[in-house]
């Protein structure tokens, strides 16, 4: 079922969707969203997200920022905050996360281009905590990754779906 209260505004070469309230119970894939609110705009400069709140059964995420497409590669300036993020909520849309048994909350800022994304991460989870800044090359085949992450009590068992192999890793 779908419940939707929204506004759509069209201007030549741009549009804007303002969600007052949206929710749905999905089937095939079974992705359910209990609350969607905020703004998504497609303009000549790119995509804009303003206070876009997405809630699934055990997840609450807010997205703000822009994806500037005026040049290639696109330039990102996105802030994502999850008061709670449970990976299995997204399993139907992203099967690779289906067996990650981690309950988390995080703040992430992603800036720069898709060839060199600067990611500032602050993650607290049942599988450990991670804080730091990294540069990720998302468009190259080898996905280069450089930077520093401080790990506190990282337990790989819930991340890798091996509850019988706990770990306790801390360091930079």
């Amino acid at each position: 079922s779908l419940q939707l209260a929204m506004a759509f505004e069209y201007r030549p070469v741009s549009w804007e969707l303002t969600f007052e309230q949206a929710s749905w119970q999905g089937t095939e894939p079974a992705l359910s969203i209990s609350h969607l609110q905020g703004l998504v705009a497609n303009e000549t400069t790119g995509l804009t997200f303003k206070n876009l709140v997405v809630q699934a059964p055990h997840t609450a995420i807010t997205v703000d920022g822009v994806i500037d497409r005026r040049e290639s590669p696109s330039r990102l300036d996105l802030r994502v905050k999850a008061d709670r993020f449970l990976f299995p909520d997204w399993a139907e849309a992203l099967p690779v996360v289906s067996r990650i048994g981690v309950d988390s909350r995080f703040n992430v800022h992603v800036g720069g281009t898709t060839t060199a994304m600067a990611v500032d991460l602050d993650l607290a989870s049942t599988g450990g905590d991670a804080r730091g800044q990294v540069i990720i090359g998302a468009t190259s085949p080898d996905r280069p990754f450089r930077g520093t992450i401080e790990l506190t009590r990282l337990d790989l068992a819930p991340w890798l779906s091996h509850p019988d192999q706990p770990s306790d890793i801390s360091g930079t």
Side-chain angles (χ1 to χ4, degrees), residues 16 29 33 68 81 87 91 97 107 143-144 146 152 170:
E16 190 173 285
I33 300 298
D68 188 334
K81 178 183 180 188
F87 287 87
V97 304
N107 281 297
R143 305 281 193 267
R146 68 181 188 279
T152 306
S170 293

Side-chain angles (χ1 to χ4, degrees), residues 26-109:
T27 58
E28 304 291 329
L31 177 61
S32 296
I33 300 298
S34 55
H35 181 75
L36 175 66
Q37 182 177 22
L39 180 133
V40 178
N42 182 44
E43 302 165 323
T44 57
T45 56
L47 287 173
T48 300
F49 304 92
K50 290 184 183 171
N51 201 32
L52 184 65
V53 176
V54 181
Q55 293 178 349
H58 305 96
T59 297
I61 302 172
T62 303
V63 180
D64 282 290
V66 296
I67 301 173
D68 188 334
R69 298 181 309 215
R70 288 178 285 188
E71 296 179 16
S72 183
S74 296
R75 181 163 294 280
L76 309 171
D77 184 10
L78 296 171
R79 295 188 186 283
V80 180
K81 178 183 180 188
D83 293 323
R84 185 172 188 206
F85 188 89
L86 196 61
F87 287 87
D89 275 356
W90 305 95
E92 290 293 326
L94 299 165
V96 71
V97 304
S98 66
R99 296 198 288 171
I100 297 176
V102 174
D103 195 343
S104 65
R105 63 177 172 76
F106 60 81
N107 281 297
V108 176
H109 176 249

